Every structure is written in C-alpha cells, then in structure tokens.
Amino acid sequence: MTPAAPAYRRLSVEERRSQLLDAALNLFAHRAPEDVSLDDVAGAAGVSRPLVYRYFPGGKQQLYEAALRSAAEELQQCFDEALEGPLLARLARALDRYLAFVDQHDAGFSALLQGGSVVETSRTTAIVDGVRRAAAEHILRHLEVTDPGLLLRMTVRMWITAVEAASLIWLDEDKRPPLDELRDWLVEQFVAVLSVTAARDPQTAALVQALAEDV
C-alpha cells in the first residue's frame, strides 16, 4: 500500500512573508543588493514572482528595506548583553555575536554599510544608522552612564564606526586575522580610545579608572 502523501498546509500571511524575507536575506547575505532580482527571491523561496509582488507590492525596494530591517534587528540584538560580570568580558561577548553576523552575511554586510547601492535611500540609511545608535546606547548602559557628556558620546560612537570599518577590512582581507584575535584587538582599542578621551574629560577618566578595577 502506497503511503499517503503529507497533507498540504497553506502558509499564513505572516509565515509566507517570513519565508520570503528569509530567502531575500540569504541572497543579500552573499550578493550585493543590486545583483539580486525578484526572480531570484521567488526562485529561492520556491514561489512565483507574482506572489512576491503580492506581499511586497513596492517590489525589490520594499523587499530590500524589509530584509534590511530584519538584519538590523538581529545586529542590534548582538549588543543586548546581560549587565553582569566584568564590562570588557561583556563587550567581548557582544563582539563575538556581531562578528559572527559579519562572517555569516559577508557580502550583504559590505553592501549594507558601504552604501552606494542602487537601492540605497534615506530610509535604508536611517535603518543602518539606527543600528549604530542602538549599539551606542547599549554600551553606555553597560558603562552605567545615564547622562554621557559630549566627548564620551563621541568616543563611543567613533569606536562603533571603527568596529564597522575593521569588519569591512577584515572581509576584504579574506577574513584575516582570526575572529578571536580581531575581537580582542577591538576590545583593546575601546580601552585605548577611552584612555585618550580621559585625558580631556573627567567623566571618561572615572570610567577608565573603574575599568582598571573591574577585572
């Protein structure tokens, strides 16, 4: 007796949308956005092009922005570390997650941060900037600073920019050095830039002293 075929289950609206976003994210992770077509997304999801349009009537631009928001949410979560234990150990764990995301999404990460894509708009730029601001807020919360001064805010945001730049260069250098070395180097840079600012800013100087004792 031939076994019965499994019953077909129609996906809900949210399930189908999630399926399409997952397919798009996987494509954007390995190819620049301008090199991905709706036909590519439809093929990867195993659906028709009209179905993709049904869920994303704005076409590729709407799909890209939705995928970008999904990736941005995942990146923001990388810095969502419990407020327990030495600060630098927490920062290292957050960087491990961030760099793992970079490693997994390589080409898509480059396209996301380098800009210049034909699908880049003020909305996509705002999404990316939101990741940077969220990361800064997470770090300041771990520093237990509720009212950061200008120099401290600038220092944290400059370091986040340095992390992004190092990640892009790491991809361009065939993912060298190893991730654990890159992580440790970035943590050391964080301490270094704080130390430079500490010479000019009493608030940062107090933080550097606390970090020296938090080992």
Side-chain angles (χ1 to χ4, degrees), residues 1 9 16 19 52 62 64 117 120 147 151 155 168 176 183 204-205 215:
M1 183 176 178
R9 185 176 73 87
R16 180 66 73 186
Q19 178 199 29
V52 178
Q62 183 184 7
Y64 176 67
S117 167
E120 183 182 19
D147 187 23
L151 288 180
T155 300
L168 291 170
R176 295 176 300 164
R183 174 205 63 213
T204 307
V215 294

Side-chain angles (χ1 to χ4, degrees), residues 79-99:
F79 288 93
D80 193 8
E81 177 71 25
L83 299 174
E84 300 173 355
L87 171 65
L88 296 183
R90 288 181 245 159
L91 185 61
R93 289 192 294 270
L95 279 173
D96 278 337
R97 291 191 293 271
Y98 183 93
L99 295 173

Side-chain angles (χ1 to χ4, degrees), residues 148-188:
L150 174 61
L151 288 180
L152 178 58
R153 290 200 312 273
M154 290 180 66
T155 300
V156 170
R157 294 183 67 179
M158 285 169 57
W159 179 76
I160 291 169
T161 301
V163 170
E164 292 179 356
S167 299
L168 291 170
I169 295 170
W170 180 74
L171 291 173
D172 194 49
E173 292 290 340
D174 298 322
K175 299 185 177 181
R176 295 176 300 164
L179 278 176
D180 58 342
E181 292 183 19
L182 178 62
R183 174 205 63 213
D184 291 345
W185 180 55
L186 291 172
V187 171
E188 292 165 3

Side-chain angles (χ1 to χ4, degrees), residues 17 20-21 24-25 28 33 38 41 56 58-73 112 117-128 131:
R17 189 174 188 277
L20 295 174
L21 279 178
L25 275 171
F28 290 135
L38 287 183
V41 175
F56 298 96
K60 177 177 172 177
Q61 183 66 39
Q62 183 184 7
L63 179 59
Y64 176 67
E65 289 179 12
L68 189 59
R69 288 190 190 93
S70 178
E73 290 171 3
L112 168 67
S117 167
V118 295
V119 293
E120 183 182 19
T121 66
S122 59
R123 292 190 300 274
T124 60
T125 300
I127 292 170
V128 175
V131 175

